Amino acid sequence: MKALYIASTGMGAQERNVEVISNNIANMRTTGYKRQRAEFEDLLYHQITRAGATTSDTGTMVPAGLEIGSGVRTVSTPRVMSQGGVNVTERELDVAIRGEGFFMVQLPDGRTAYTRDGSFERSAEGELVTSTGYSIDPGIVIPGTASSITISPDGIVSAYLDNENMPTQVGQLQLARFVNKSGLESMGDNLFLETAASGPAQVSVPNIAGYGNLMQNYLEMSNVNSVTEIADLIAAQRAYEMNARVISGADEMMQATSQLR
């Protein structure tokens, strides 16, 4: 009986849906996290009668065909790249992006990754790095004698050096944007990688139209809405239960048929 297989695909799809929702909830407090959603599509259909098939010699046609579906499958888990809320941290190296851009990060293997996590630190050499120790691209070195570091909305990093009365520019933060942000590949550590689907990175300084501006002493929180996630979780659980009931019902029908024989 096909109903057993069809319902099993529904249970598998909802199980994957719950996994996506649970990952969103787990990352509710992750800086710069962008929530995912599961998207589904129906599987192939077995056509018993085609729509438009003739039913008599006079040319009468079937107005609607007879098709039996094969179930459902999870086709993608795109990220919702909407702006997350910003929280004040009062740390001078915390920077939030208000707009569509991404910070660029130099990985140890030479690749460039992208992140919305602006919780930066200084390495032993004074270099501006992520919380996992990866260098910001382009590299910015803040001298050990620097004090009162400021980061402007357009990404200019300045600091007071030694006993100077005026701040000195020590670097310039840049942002990257993509035609299809949902096409970025997640690699963990709050980092994304460019793919053929995302298109190449378009790099510019902040405060340019489309790239967004920077907010020092702030961090962008995740865009996960707890109420929405719980509602989606309940809906996924109900859909899973209904598919399980279909399997139970189909099994009872098969048992009744075998008893008749």
Side-chain angles (χ1 to χ4, degrees):
M1 182 175 286
K2 289 185 177 180
L4 291 171
Y5 172 76
I6 294 172
S8 70
T9 65
M11 292 180 68
Q14 293 308 320
E15 182 179 351
R16 184 63 52 83
N17 190 17
V18 171
E19 291 173 355
V20 172
I21 294 170
S22 64
N23 187 59
N24 288 339
I25 294 175
N27 285 281
M28 284 182 59
R29 300 294 298 172
T30 300
T31 305
Y33 176 81
K34 301 302 178 183
R35 66 180 292 266
Q36 292 176 286
R37 70 167 187 264
E39 294 186 347
F40 310 98
E41 67 177 13
D42 50 356
L43 298 178
L44 293 174
Y45 286 80
H46 173 55
Q47 291 187 331
I48 300 174
T49 303
R50 286 183 176 274
T54 57
T55 58
S56 69
D57 295 337
T58 59
T60 55
M61 294 187 300
V62 176
L66 176 57
E67 300 176 332
I68 303 298
S70 301
V72 63
R73 73 185 180 102
T74 309
V75 64
S76 65
T77 54
R79 289 190 180 272
V80 179
M81 292 291 191
S82 59
Q83 176 79 44
V86 292
N87 286 353
V88 61
T89 64
E90 298 182 357
R91 288 189 70 250
E92 60 185 7
L93 293 182
D94 283 348
V95 187
I97 302 173
R98 186 167 55 186
E100 296 190 2
F102 291 81
F103 294 113
M104 296 181 292
V105 178
Q106 190 69 39
L107 298 179
D109 59 6
R111 293 180 299 171
T112 299
Y114 306 90
T115 184
R116 296 278 297 189
D117 183 359
S119 53
F120 300 139
E121 303 287 349
R122 291 166 69 180
S123 69
E125 294 76 26
E127 187 177 11
L128 198 64
V129 297
T130 66
S131 55
T132 49
Y134 299 141
S135 301
I136 299 300
D137 186 16
I140 298 176
V141 177
I142 301 174
T145 58
S147 62
S148 186
I149 301 168
T150 59
I151 301 175
S152 68
D154 53 1
I156 297 176
V157 182
S158 303
Y160 287 91
L161 304 180
D162 299 322
N163 296 320
E164 295 180 357
N165 296 323
M166 295 295 293
T168 300
Q169 180 176 339
V170 296
Q172 168 74 64
L173 288 171
Q174 295 183 347
L175 297 179
R177 61 177 299 195
F178 299 87
V179 173
N180 176 25
K181 294 180 291 185
S182 295
L184 292 170
E185 176 187 346
S186 306
M187 64 168 292
D189 293 334
N190 288 354
L191 300 176
F192 298 96
L193 292 175
E194 175 186 314
T195 68
S198 68
Q202 304 170 16
V203 180
S204 181
V205 296
N207 231 8
I208 300 296
Y211 286 85
N213 61 322
L214 304 184
M215 300 174 61
Q216 187 182 16
N217 303 321
Y218 287 85
L219 282 179
E220 181 186 10
M221 298 294 101
S222 75
N223 62 353
V224 176
N225 184 305
S226 59
V227 176
T228 301
E229 297 300 326
I230 294 300
D232 290 345
L233 178 60
I234 293 173
Q237 288 175 321
R238 295 292 178 265
Y240 187 93
E241 291 172 1
M242 292 181 68
N243 279 284
R245 290 179 182 176
V246 170
I247 290 180
S248 178
D251 180 55
E252 291 176 0
M253 293 172 64
M254 292 176 65
Q255 288 180 354
T257 302
S258 63
Q259 290 174 0
L260 291 175
R261 294 176 182 175

